[in-house]
Amino acid sequence: MDKLPDIFESYVFNDNVMQEKLPKDIYKKLIKTIKNGERLDLELANVVAHAMKEWAIEKGATHFTHWFQPMTGVTAEKHTCFITQTKDGKVRMEFTGKELVQGEPDASSFPSGGLRSTFEARGYTAWDPTSYAFIKDNTLCIPSAFCSYSGESLDKKTPLLRSMQVLEKEAKRILKLFGHNDINRVYTTVGAEQEYFLIDRDLYLQRPDLRYCKRTLFGACPPKGQELEDHYFGAIKPRVLEFMKELDNELWKLGIIAKTEHNEVAPGQYELAPEFTITNMATDQNQITMELMKVIAEKHNLACILHEKPFAGVNGSGKHNNWSIGTDTGLNLLEPGKTPSENKQFLLFVVAIMKAIDEYQDLLRATTASASNDHRLGASEAPPAIISIFLGDELTEIIESMENSKKYKKREAVEMEMGVPSLARFTKDSTDRNRTSPLAFTGNKFEFRMVGSSLSVSGPNIVLNTIVAEALSQFADILEKSSDFDKDLEELLKENIKKHKRIVYNGNNYSDEWVKEASKRGLCNLKTTPEALETFIAQKNIDLFTKHNVLTKAEVLSRYEISLEEYSKVINIEALTLIDMINKYIIPFSLDYTEELVNICEKKKDLKIKYDIEKDLLDKITNLTNNLYKKLKTLEDYLSESKKIKNVSKSSVFFRDKVLACIEEMRPIIDELEKTVSRKHWKLPTYGDMLYSLA
């Protein structure tokens, strides 16, 4: 631990390094350019590029890359060596301002949702100077945005940066009304808690479904799952601890403050929580974290699984997106203060968020839609596919008193009494936490718990930023014209609380009662990806994005196409994998065992010994195998039929209702075979093998 301050950000071209490596006038000009969002001139870029190259070479880097986030959901990079040959045949290390500012990857092979034809290959990457460059695997990585030749965004970063700009603009309008004329920057911050599974890599490699699909397509539950609740926060196994130690060190070198880590609920499941940072940097850092988790796990002969539901019957994994709003003067705009009922600025932002979530609940739900997350949402481990907000008892009472024009009676602070005099005393929080809520207020931030563990946090934050900016914009339009600010503010808050209070729910979101209650309130319940994504292209949502220049209509439609295509492709891969495993593993296992049983039956028959047990097993396995084979043929027919469907929306519905449904029907048959066929013949790792492989 003594070395931590020395290694922290040692592989990041951060502000301290820039001050050290750049001439003072260049440093000041660069910072001013970044803060004011000005265009970077080539002369300045050349000086920065030279300093960046010299620093990177000192750290052992030999290559550079524009590191960007295409619509694949993972990062992309094209490594270019610093070496340039001189006229006399020698070489020198060179990195120009033009190479820093702009790259040109082939755009034709990335998802574009119809924005680009295959033959239209040119695309551009552009340096994002608001996110620090870093070194990974001896390569200088330059965080970048990615666009097509015609300027459309082809990535997840560009619209995120746009959404941050629009929220800053609208929040500053509101803050000026409260007398904050000294605020130059408003930004959102995010802390993305990352859940994941670790299993032995040798077992992982023996499961084609995990290798190709990142989830098991079948698997009988072991005798012991998570019912004893003994894994959660339990002592971390030595092998896992070694992995975590190395992961922490590598993250710290890259300036990612890995703050807490612990065992999660399911056996083999863990969580890492970072410190909060500005949203675009937090998004970059989460992508780096997921990549490093997989790379470092492999070094420890482990497999890191980020899929939302890799194992049926135990908890899946999410990514809790803790979102807040801050200023360059140190204000957290979601901090209630000691007297939240009197903090009208805080209450305005809370009510704006209520309004935003209520009016755009469908759009926010769409950002969490994926084939993998569909398996997790709605189970007793994650919120249902219904968006609601948890505010807690105190804040709910405050907004109810405002709605009814009543004076709020402040709650007295309660000292926690545990019945043991020697234990330290502390003040009890004014409200409990609600881990079942998809969007919970947790003191000075909102925790969006619906995001899937494998997903980029860019999508949810693009929408959160934009919809809250829209609500603030509407509030500012009204209040800027006010002749009696306090009176009009009270009326504005009261009116919007009445209109949008249906989105607030402090109870158990896992319960059937809430599903019924939400329906009565008229809240959306978009259970699967195809129906959720349809709302993404609703006219009101297109109007929202285009109004604030976050996405053009073409960019909205392209993301809809890309997401639906990905959904169908994922299920298609799962179906092909299952067919392959049934033909190469499941049926041969079953036939081998039946052959052994037949031989035993024949021997016992010759010896005139009863063979009832063998006969029953033989009948059971034969019936299960025959049933499985019939469904296998049905699945193959569905895949053939799917190729004829050209419309992405119809295709996604077909894959959901036919292909995925068939896969799910086959699962219990295979699970029953696994429980029946002898272990000698069942040569695939079981759930018990994998989930307890690190014990």
Side-chain angles (χ1 to χ4, degrees), residues 210-444:
L210 281 176
R211 284 190 282 120
Y212 299 139
C213 310
K214 308 308 175 190
R215 78 172 180 112
T216 54
L217 299 173
F218 55 84
C221 290
K224 178 179 181 288
Q226 62 189 52
E227 61 273 17
L228 293 181
E229 301 170 334
D230 55 340
H231 189 259
Y232 189 56
F233 275 36
I236 301 171
K237 304 292 183 189
R239 192 172 169 190
V240 176
L241 199 56
E242 288 304 309
F243 158 81
M244 288 180 171
K245 284 179 181 177
E246 184 171 354
L247 177 62
D248 284 343
N249 273 320
E250 294 306 310
L251 291 174
W252 291 334
K253 288 176 187 176
L254 295 173
I256 300 170
I257 304 180
K259 192 76 172 176
T260 63
E261 53 213 5
H262 60 83
N263 289 0
E264 255 300 332
V265 174
Q269 188 185 34
Y270 308 91
E271 181 182 294
L272 181 146
E275 192 62 88
F276 291 72
T277 190
I278 297 173
T279 302
N280 63 310
M281 292 182 68
T283 302
D284 288 353
Q285 291 182 356
N286 183 247
Q287 292 289 345
I288 296 168
T289 299
M290 291 193 289
E291 180 185 333
L292 282 177
M293 280 178 167
K294 288 184 268 190
V295 170
I296 293 171
E298 191 171 339
K299 289 172 64 177
H300 292 263
N301 201 34
L302 300 171
C304 175
I305 306 171
L306 296 171
H307 192 285
E308 285 74 7
K309 193 75 171 177
F311 302 102
V314 297
N315 273 21
S317 299
K319 179 152 32 201
H320 303 160
N321 187 86
N322 294 279
W323 179 90
S324 193
I325 315 174
T327 73
D328 61 345
T329 59
L331 291 177
N332 181 337
L333 301 178
L334 297 184
E335 175 61 58
K338 292 182 179 179
T339 54
S341 61
E342 299 169 17
N343 188 343
K344 293 299 188 290
Q345 178 181 290
F346 160 73
L347 292 171
L348 182 144
F349 276 91
V350 169
V351 174
I353 292 167
M354 282 175 56
K355 171 182 168 65
I357 303 300
D358 186 26
E359 292 181 343
Y360 293 98
Q361 54 187 279
D362 56 340
L363 186 56
L364 192 58
R365 163 68 182 100
T367 68
T368 68
S370 71
S372 53
N373 208 23
D374 279 0
H375 295 289
R376 167 181 165 263
L377 294 179
S380 58
E381 67 204 65
I386 304 168
I387 298 285
S388 65
I389 297 177
F390 167 82
L391 291 180
D393 296 337
E394 182 180 29
L395 191 49
T396 300
E397 288 170 10
I398 290 171
I399 66 168
E400 284 176 349
S401 67
M402 292 180 66
E403 177 193 359
N404 298 311
S405 301
K406 293 182 179 178
K407 185 173 177 61
Y408 172 70
K409 186 177 180 182
K410 187 178 183 299
R411 290 184 169 206
E412 294 297 323
V414 178
E415 194 172 76
M416 198 69 179
E417 177 56 61
M418 298 179 70
V420 180
S422 59
L423 293 178
R425 297 194 174 191
F426 53 90
T427 303
K428 187 177 179 180
D429 286 316
S430 61
T431 189
D432 204 347
R433 289 183 62 198
N434 188 333
R435 67 180 300 275
T436 74
S437 176
L439 197 66
F441 182 71
T442 56
N444 60 6

Side-chain angles (χ1 to χ4, degrees), residues 36-70:
N36 297 339
E38 297 171 359
R39 187 177 298 276
L40 209 69
D41 66 62
L42 192 57
E43 184 181 345
L44 175 61
N46 278 327
V47 178
V48 175
H50 177 76
M52 200 179 280
K53 178 206 69 179
E54 293 298 304
W55 168 80
I57 291 172
E58 287 173 12
K59 295 290 184 181
T62 56
H63 291 69
F64 69 90
T65 181
H66 274 212
W67 183 83
F68 58 102
Q69 300 169 37

Side-chain angles (χ1 to χ4, degrees), residues 122 161 205 380 439 517 607:
R122 196 181 296 278
L161 294 171
L205 292 174
S380 58
L439 197 66
E517 171 63 23
L607 295 170

Side-chain angles (χ1 to χ4, degrees), residues 386 505 508-520:
I386 304 168
Y505 181 67
N508 180 9
N509 285 254
Y510 293 173
S511 68
D512 293 335
E513 288 75 18
W514 167 233
V515 176
K516 295 173 186 174
E517 171 63 23
S519 179
K520 288 180 185 177

Side-chain angles (χ1 to χ4, degrees), residues 582-599 618 621-626 628-629 673 677-678 681-682:
I582 289 171
N583 284 326
K584 293 179 179 177
Y585 297 91
I586 311 305
I587 290 178
F589 292 169
S590 302
L591 293 179
D592 284 348
Y593 190 40
T594 55
E595 182 181 6
E596 182 178 306
L597 290 171
V598 167
N599 291 335
L618 196 55
I621 293 168
T622 301
N623 290 333
L624 286 169
T625 307
N626 287 339
L628 180 63
Y629 190 71
L673 280 169
V677 173
S678 76
H681 295 286
W682 194 271

Side-chain angles (χ1 to χ4, degrees), residues 101-114:
V101 172
Q102 177 191 321
E104 190 178 320
D106 185 338
S108 64
S109 297
F110 290 105
S112 71

